[in-house]
Amino acid sequence: MADHQTELLKTALYDLHVELGAKMVPFAGYDMPVQYPLGVKGEHLHTRAKAGLFDVSHMGQVRLTGEHRVAELEKLVPGDIAILKPGRTRYSAFTNDDGTILDDLMITNAGDSLFLVINAACKDDDIVHMRANLDNGVELIEIDDRALMALQGPDAARVLARFAPSVAEMKFMSFAEIDIAGIACFVTRSGYTGEDGYEISVPNERAEELARKLLAEEEVEAIGLGARDSLRLEAGLCLYGNDIDTTTTPVEGDLNWIINKRRREEGGFKGSDIILDQLANGADRKRVGIKPEGKAPAREHTAILNSDGEEIGEITSGGFGPTVDGPIAMGYVAIEFAATGTKVDLMVRGKARPAEIVELPFVAHRYYRG
């Protein structure tokens, strides 16, 4: 959370949030909407049923240019960026020399450049990290004149296609530069809810205009950070700073899938020796899904115990899942307790409560793959 002594930054949609009755909170240095009058549960369920509009303009947007941009970025991430075709997007992570995660990010091949979206709380450090490590004529351009919004949910494609018919043909993790209602936008078919949807980068001066057009559609409601968190938790998606950080490796975080075959064979990214050793020989712990019994949610930092009462791990994200109508959580456990179906106990308010290790996600992903 931001320091109250410092002035909070405002996104291009700040005035609209206030007009819509949002409860504003400090988040990653910005004044952001945590919920609207519909409430977190109502916003969550609406996004799963229809379409929700999120302001994610606090995220960082960056372009990398230069002939060697791909090879240089591959020094910092374990993903195979060289095989990323123009108009395609990939999820990856910045690793450090210890093999742990500095941030997770989205990388798009925009043709003449790489377009990156990085986390709000990490973006200043990420930019310093990239400037210090990207050589061979690669230029980093911070994009600070564009807002970012996400339209998520089963009706997202239908709604957005009214303003830009071509978006309906886009597949999951694809990118295009498209005019939406006459506004030049960068669009990826992606998101952070497990639902179909889009992230839309729009010029700051046109952001409110586009947001109002989308919110005027009967299927769309404004959604705050509270529901964004419960939606991503149900989808089993990591939150940087909770589920992954500089104490966790991609292997521990169950993110092996971001390390492609060539990178496993060649290495060459920061911390690759440690990460590749864990891929070959296993890690000591693993991020897992956890389903508490009963109705009491287990929050982050809740201790996870084995049947002998010994601590074997900790909850990193936990709360109530409106779609599953019960408490859900993610966390790390010692590898011998990571198998689906393992019974564990959670120390909730000083009392051991039963829970079970379950497969992620809690709610099936509904991405559009064509």
Side-chain angles (χ1 to χ4, degrees):
M1 297 299 247
D3 182 350
H4 287 282
Q5 304 299 310
T6 60
E7 183 147 354
L8 294 171
L9 300 169
K10 293 177 169 61
T11 74
L13 298 177
Y14 174 84
D15 291 341
L16 179 58
H17 298 316
V18 173
E19 179 186 319
L20 294 173
K23 178 184 177 184
M24 306 298 289
V25 299
F27 184 81
Y30 285 79
D31 210 356
M32 295 294 290
V34 68
Q35 68 180 75
Y36 299 87
L38 184 59
V40 173
K41 184 177 180 180
E43 293 169 29
H44 178 116
L45 294 172
H46 183 91
T47 304
R48 289 268 184 255
K50 294 183 178 180
L53 186 68
F54 302 74
D55 180 8
V56 289
S57 304
H58 59 312
M59 308 282 277
Q61 301 179 67
V62 170
R63 274 194 188 273
L64 302 181
T65 62
E67 182 184 352
H68 302 290
R69 59 189 179 273
V70 170
E72 287 296 305
L73 184 60
E74 281 194 350
K75 297 190 307 189
L76 306 184
V77 301
D80 190 340
I81 310 308
I83 62 169
L84 197 60
K85 295 177 180 176
R88 296 296 299 171
T89 297
R90 171 156 290 173
Y91 172 80
S92 197
F94 290 123
T95 52
N96 61 19
D97 292 334
D98 297 326
T100 62
I101 300 172
L102 294 170
D103 195 11
D104 58 342
L105 72 158
M106 301 293 271
I107 303 167
T108 295
N109 183 345
D112 61 346
S113 60
L114 293 174
F115 174 54
L116 277 49
V117 176
I118 53 183
N119 277 309
C122 304
K123 64 184 177 184
D124 292 341
D125 289 341
D126 288 350
I127 287 166
V128 169
H129 178 64
M130 284 188 279
R131 289 197 192 282
N133 287 283
L134 297 174
D135 300 317
N136 283 329
V138 175
E139 184 182 2
L140 183 152
I141 303 160
E142 290 184 63
I143 303 172
D144 54 14
D145 60 349
R146 300 183 77 89
L148 192 67
M149 59 185 84
L151 185 67
Q152 299 281 295
D155 288 342
R158 184 180 305 115
V159 169
L160 200 59
R162 291 172 193 154
F163 302 97
S166 64
V167 300
E169 305 306 314
M170 295 176 69
K171 294 183 175 67
F172 179 58
M173 297 296 264
S174 67
F175 164 90
E177 296 193 37
I178 296 175
D179 278 9
I180 301 174
I183 303 168
C185 297
F186 309 149
V187 182
T188 58
R189 196 159 191 170
S190 64
Y192 193 47
T193 61
E195 296 293 332
D196 183 22
Y198 303 85
E199 291 197 345
I200 305 162
S201 176
V202 55
N204 279 331
E205 66 273 11
R206 306 289 300 274
E208 184 177 321
E209 175 190 348
L210 181 56
R212 287 184 185 278
K213 285 179 185 293
L214 294 172
L215 288 168
E217 299 300 302
E218 63 178 354
E219 299 95 336
V220 183
E221 288 283 351
I223 312 295
L225 293 174
R228 189 168 189 255
D229 191 53
S230 57
L231 287 158
R232 70 92 194 165
L233 178 55
E234 285 187 341
L237 302 174
C238 293
L239 174 63
Y240 190 84
N242 283 48
D243 310 297
I244 49 174
D245 57 24
T246 52
T247 70
T248 56
T249 69
V251 180
E252 292 171 339
D254 197 27
L255 298 174
N256 299 8
W257 57 273
I258 73 172
I259 311 164
N260 310 74
K261 182 181 178 185
R262 177 176 65 84
R263 305 310 308 277
R264 293 180 185 216
E265 293 171 351
E266 298 177 3
F269 52 90
K270 283 188 176 291
S272 58
D273 289 351
I274 294 165
I275 293 167
L276 297 182
D277 179 70
Q278 287 188 346
L279 280 172
N281 301 307
D284 292 336
R285 61 182 187 142
K286 182 183 177 183
R287 178 177 63 94
V288 294
I290 300 155
K291 189 76 178 72
E293 290 183 17
K295 289 292 184 182
R299 307 290 179 183
E300 62 183 284
H301 303 309
T302 297
I304 306 171
L305 312 178
N306 66 13
S307 57
D308 296 324
E310 299 165 332
E311 187 167 334
I312 56 166
E314 184 179 89
I315 299 290
T316 52
S317 288
F320 180 80
T323 314
V324 301
D325 194 28
I328 55 174
M330 292 194 295
Y332 285 80
V333 295
I335 197 69
E336 58 267 34
F337 300 97
T340 298
T342 302
K343 303 293 186 183
V344 295
D345 287 316
L346 308 177
M347 284 302 293
V348 178
R349 295 179 189 154
K351 184 178 179 182
R353 296 181 179 271
E356 183 177 336
I357 306 300
V358 297
E359 282 197 29
L360 294 170
F362 297 97
V363 174
H365 296 165
R366 296 199 285 185
Y367 305 132
Y368 178 75
R369 301 184 187 274

